[in-house]
Structure formats: C-alpha cells, structure tokens
C-alpha cells in the first residue's frame, strides 16, 4: 500500500504529516502477501463446534483480532493443517444462515468421513483450538441469482452449503415475482442438514419450495424416494425448464448444482 506511487506518497506526507498511517494500517491488517507461495493463511479460533447430524459438524470460526473477514457469495476458503507430518489442504464453502442476516462468524459445515485425512483431524477439534484459513477464492457471479425469476438449486448432502448463501440473498430480496426451488438429495431422514431451517424459510416466504429426495429412507417416509434422474427432474422442475430428454435453461430460469456425482 505504502509502496504504490512513491512520488505521490512524498507529497501526501508533506501535506498530511499529522496522519498516523501506521495506526490506521494496523486496524486493517489481515496478513502478509508472499508472492509465488500460494494463498495466504491466517490463524482463526474455533468459537464453537455443533453436531448437525450423526456425521456432520458446524464449525464457527473467529478471525484474528482486528481482522474483518467476509466471503463473497459462491466463493470458498481453504483450510490447512499439518497431519502426521503432511501438509493437508481442503476447500470448503461457508454455510450461511438463510433467514438471519448476522454474518459475524465464518461457519463451515463439514461431513466427517471415516477415511478422510482432514475430516478425521477436524473430528478432534474443540472450542478454542486454532485453524488455518485462507483468503476467499472463486469467481461466482450473483447477477443471475439477483435477476432470474425462477431459480432452481439441486444439492446433495453437504452440497447444501454453497446454496445457503444464495438462499439468503433470495430470501432478503423478498421479490414476490421470484420463485426459488431446492431439490435436496440425501440417503435418509437423519442425513438431512438444517431441515428445520429449510422448513422455516418455506413457512416465512411462499416463494420458496424444498423437495427432499431420499435414496434409503425409513419405512415411515412419505416423501420422494430415489436418486436425481431425468425422470425425477421432469416431475419436479418448472416448465419450460424440463423437457422429456434433457434440461434446458432460458432467460427466465437459472439452475445450480452442487454435490457428489
């Protein structure tokens, strides 16, 4: 910052010698840039760990003191850890409360896999522990999210996380002519993430709809069963988005997907 435009900086110092730029810069300091060494990581503190389902946890993270941290919609952060002498880096999209506009803490909703190097490490993390988090990355554009009339989101498992920030945008826009449909695929009832929050947004806003699709439900399940397929999409996607053999998108509709293949 201070090295940009040396001549201009000299003139500025003459006119504004009273300004304590060191104190000002310290307030907005968020880490050092090291050219050629990849993303910059900062040490966050785990403020809480919440079990969402039997195998998924929500980590709330506080940035270093004095650091303002914001992840734009659709972007992700990298989490780095040294595990048994190996540096492991994984990418995660933050989870955002759909109705609540409070975004003070970074929240990562992560499924714990039995064979996952990072997730097994995270399963041991407790409140107060440090985690190394990178600056945000990604190039997602929200223009279509803001303007499209019919928005369809298709998510599976923790593929819900990038959808939460998009749902948050749509909810707070409160445009009566917009509709938002989430098709959410999981194995069983106990695997559905934030089911209560999804039901809440549907109650509060009639423009929202959620269809739960379970591949291995209990015998008492009365909802949709199976896996995402063209025949299932033909049943639930709005027309003219869906044809008999394919999914077509026109300027009235916007389709987003996230989840395992």
């Amino acid at each position: 910052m201070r090295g940009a435009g040396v001549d201009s900086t000299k003139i500025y110092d003459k006119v504004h010698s009273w300004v304590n730029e060191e104190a000002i810069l310290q307030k907005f300091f968020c880490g050092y840039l090291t050219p050629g060494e990849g993303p910059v990581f900062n040490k966050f503190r785990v403020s809480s760990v919440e079990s969402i389902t039997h195998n998924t946890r929500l980590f709330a993270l506080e940035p270093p003191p004095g650091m303002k941290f914001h992840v734009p919609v659709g972007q992700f952060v990298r989490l780095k850890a040294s595990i048994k002498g190996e540096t492991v880096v994984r990418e995660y999209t933050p989870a955002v409360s759909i109705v609540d506009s409070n975004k003070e803490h970074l929240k990562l909703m992560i499924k714990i896999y039995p064979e996952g190097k990072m997730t097994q490490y995270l399963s041991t993390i407790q409140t107060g522990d440090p985690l190394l988090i990178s600056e945000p990355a990604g190039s997602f554009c929200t223009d279509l999210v803001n303007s499209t009339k019919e928005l369809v989101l298709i998510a599976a498992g923790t593929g819900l996380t990038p959808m939460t920030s998009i749902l948050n945008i749509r909810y707070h826009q409160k445009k009566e002519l917009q509709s938002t449909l989430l098709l959410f695929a999981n194995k069983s009832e106990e695997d559905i993430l934030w089911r209560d929050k999804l039901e809440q947004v549907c109650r509060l806003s009639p423009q929202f709809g959620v269809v739960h699709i379970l591949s291995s439900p209990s015998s008492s399940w009365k909802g949709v069963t199976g896996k995402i397929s063209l025949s299932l999409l033909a049943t639930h996607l709005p027309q003219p988005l869906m044809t008999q053999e394919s999914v077509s998108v026109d300027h009235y509709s916007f389709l987003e997907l996230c989840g395992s293949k």
Side-chain angles (χ1 to χ4, degrees), residues 20-21 25 45 49 63 72 98 132 135 170 174:
N20 187 351
E21 74 278 359
L25 286 172
R45 188 186 76 89
V49 181
I98 300 169
L132 292 175
E135 74 275 14
R170 298 283 284 193
K174 295 187 181 299

Side-chain angles (χ1 to χ4, degrees), residues 48-88:
S48 68
V49 181
E50 178 187 354
S51 292
I52 302 300
T53 67
H54 62 102
N55 60 4
T56 303
R57 298 179 186 177
L58 184 68
F59 298 86
L61 306 172
E62 292 181 359
M67 179 181 177
K68 300 295 183 181
F69 192 82
H70 170 68
V71 181
V73 174
Q75 294 195 15
F76 61 89
V77 297
R78 295 179 175 91
L79 195 158
K80 181 170 71 172
S82 179
I83 303 173
K84 297 181 179 179
E86 178 186 357
T87 298
V88 180

Side-chain angles (χ1 to χ4, degrees), residues 1 22 25 78 80 107 110 118 137 144 183 208 246:
M1 177 177 175
E22 288 292 341
L25 286 172
R78 295 179 175 91
K80 181 170 71 172
K107 294 184 178 181
I110 300 174
M118 178 63 80
L144 283 174
L183 303 183
F208 281 80
S246 65

Side-chain angles (χ1 to χ4, degrees), residues 102-113:
N102 184 2
K103 302 177 183 179
E104 290 183 358
H105 291 172
L106 171 68
K107 294 184 178 181
L108 301 179
M109 188 183 294
I110 300 174
K111 181 177 180 180
I112 307 299
Y113 291 93

Side-chain angles (χ1 to χ4, degrees), residues 85-187:
E86 178 186 357
T87 298
V88 180
V89 179
R90 296 289 185 269
E91 298 173 352
Y92 296 104
T93 305
V96 176
S97 175
I98 300 169
V99 176
D100 187 5
S101 59
N102 184 2
K103 302 177 183 179
E104 290 183 358
H105 291 172
L106 171 68
K107 294 184 178 181
L108 301 179
M109 188 183 294
I110 300 174
K111 181 177 180 180
I112 307 299
Y113 291 93
E115 305 300 326
K117 289 183 180 180
M118 178 63 80
T119 60
Q120 281 300 303
Y121 169 79
L122 292 174
S123 69
T124 67
I125 292 295
Q126 299 179 358
T127 300
D129 288 344
L131 283 177
L132 292 175
I133 302 294
S134 75
E135 74 275 14
S139 58
F140 184 81
C141 179
T142 60
D143 290 349
L144 283 174
V145 173
N146 294 326
S147 61
T148 188
K149 293 181 180 179
E150 291 181 335
L151 176 64
V152 178
L153 308 174
I154 302 177
T158 50
L160 174 70
T161 56
M163 305 305 182
T164 57
S165 58
I166 296 171
L167 290 169
N168 180 279
I169 289 179
R170 298 283 284 193
Y171 175 78
H172 288 284
Q173 281 181 337
K174 295 187 181 299
K175 294 182 179 179
E176 293 184 359
L177 296 180
Q178 287 185 340
S179 66
T180 304
L181 174 65
L182 170 66
L183 303 183
F184 192 19
N186 287 281
K187 288 184 178 180

